[in-house]
């Protein structure tokens, strides 16, 4: 059971440049299998960029944690397409509220076949809007310094980018949500 009511009003659609309709919805406990398969199918590099560690599969506790969320304190949007009558997850973007109750940290990953089409940008704009509606004022993220694409995306979205003080391989990004 999730800890708060499913926000069904946040279900939406996004049209890819080739016309494919992509469903976007807050993650639910029932999405555990497509989330597991999505992470397992990512390249090792993409998994490392997202989780900052070598990881082949989500461990059961991580899967539970990622799919049973408290929508009051966090949000995870998944992007899903229909393939052979089944759902295929092609991306996920989430934020988690911090203890100060006014800032949140984001994380995002888009499947390789779907990168460079605008989904990452669309996800981030949705996430920023939701954080604003939730009353949050700051969104932060940690990005590997080598992750040029995510850094470029953060920059166009208005995030400030700084070297992480304790780790030269990492950048801290921060957006004041207005
Ligand atoms: C980073 C990531 C989420 C971006 O998703 P995406 O769907 O490819 O993003 P978009 O298509 O919206 O592109 C966003 C920006 O990335 C850059 N970009 C996109 N395609 C690119 C390409 N082929 N080459 C270089 N830069 C590119 C551009 O700056 C683009 O902005 P623009 O559209 O204004 O030019 C995706 O690459 C990913 O999942 N990477 C692995 C996981 C990861 O790094 N997560 C971030 C950790 S928090």
């Amino acid at each position: 059971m999730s800890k708060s009511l499913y926000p069904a009003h946040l279900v939406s659609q996004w049209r890819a440049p080739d016309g494919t309709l992509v469903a976007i919805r807050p993650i639910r406990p029932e999405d555990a299998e497509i989330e597991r398969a999505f992470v397992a199918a990512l390249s090792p590099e993409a998994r490392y960029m997202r989780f900052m560690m070598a990881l082949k599969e989500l461990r059961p506790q991580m899967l539970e944690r990622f799919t049973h969320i408290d929508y009051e304190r966090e949000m995870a949007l998944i992007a899903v397409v229909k393939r052979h009558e089944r759902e295929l997850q092609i991306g996920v973007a989430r934020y988690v509220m911090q203890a100060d109750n006014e800032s949140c940290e984001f994380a995002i990953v888009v499947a390789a076949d779907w990168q460079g089409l605008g989904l990452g940008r669309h996800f981030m704009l949705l996430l920023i809007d939701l954080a604003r509606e939730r009353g949050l004022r700051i969104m932060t993220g940690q990005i590997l310094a080598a992750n040029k694409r995510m850094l470029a995306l953060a920059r166009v979205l208005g995030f400030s980018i700084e070297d992480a003080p304790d780790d030269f391989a990492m950048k801290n990004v921060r957006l004041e949500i207005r």
Side-chain angles (χ1 to χ4, degrees), residues 8-174:
H9 62 288
L10 299 182
V11 174
S12 65
Q13 288 182 325
W14 175 76
R15 200 175 279 282
D18 73 351
T20 306
L21 215 48
V22 176
I24 303 215
R25 62 165 192 257
I27 204 163
R28 308 167 302 192
E30 301 89 301
D31 294 317
E33 179 47 32
I34 59 172
E35 166 82 357
R36 189 202 60 73
F38 168 71
V39 173
L42 290 172
S43 68
E45 293 75 24
R47 273 199 299 269
Y48 191 74
M49 299 271 195
R50 163 61 183 88
F51 297 103
M52 314 283 178
M53 61 175 164
L55 179 85
K56 277 195 180 142
E57 281 247 28
L58 287 179
R59 291 188 284 275
Q61 302 93 309
M62 294 175 88
L63 193 54
E64 160 100 13
R65 156 93 192 76
F66 285 162
T67 53
H68 292 65
I69 68 171
D70 177 356
Y71 303 104
E72 287 291 315
R73 296 201 61 86
E74 57 189 311
M75 182 51 64
L77 297 172
I78 57 170
V80 171
V81 292
K82 270 268 165 64
R83 284 290 179 271
H84 311 295
E85 296 304 307
R86 303 179 74 148
E87 285 195 316
L88 176 72
Q89 186 178 323
I90 61 166
V92 59
R94 66 177 67 228
Y95 75 65
V96 180
M97 248 168 94
Q98 304 297 292
D100 64 7
N101 287 344
E102 65 167 26
S103 58
C104 63
E105 184 169 354
F106 77 86
I108 177 172
V109 58
V110 171
D113 288 352
W114 293 83
Q115 288 180 14
L117 302 176
L119 180 56
R121 186 192 181 96
H122 181 70
F123 258 151
M124 288 302 297
L125 290 172
L126 285 177
L127 217 51
I128 293 165
D129 276 350
L130 293 176
R132 181 185 299 110
E133 280 167 27
R134 182 66 187 80
L136 300 174
R137 298 198 311 109
I138 294 161
M139 182 175 280
T140 62
Q142 288 190 310
I143 304 176
L144 287 173
N147 192 350
K148 300 293 177 227
R149 180 176 283 188
M150 188 63 223
L151 287 171
L153 177 54
R155 194 168 292 116
V156 296
L157 292 169
F159 283 79
S160 62
I161 302 175
E162 287 185 0
D163 294 339
D166 47 355
D167 187 349
F168 68 88
M170 198 69 81
K171 301 273 187 191
N172 290 335
V173 301
R174 176 187 162 99

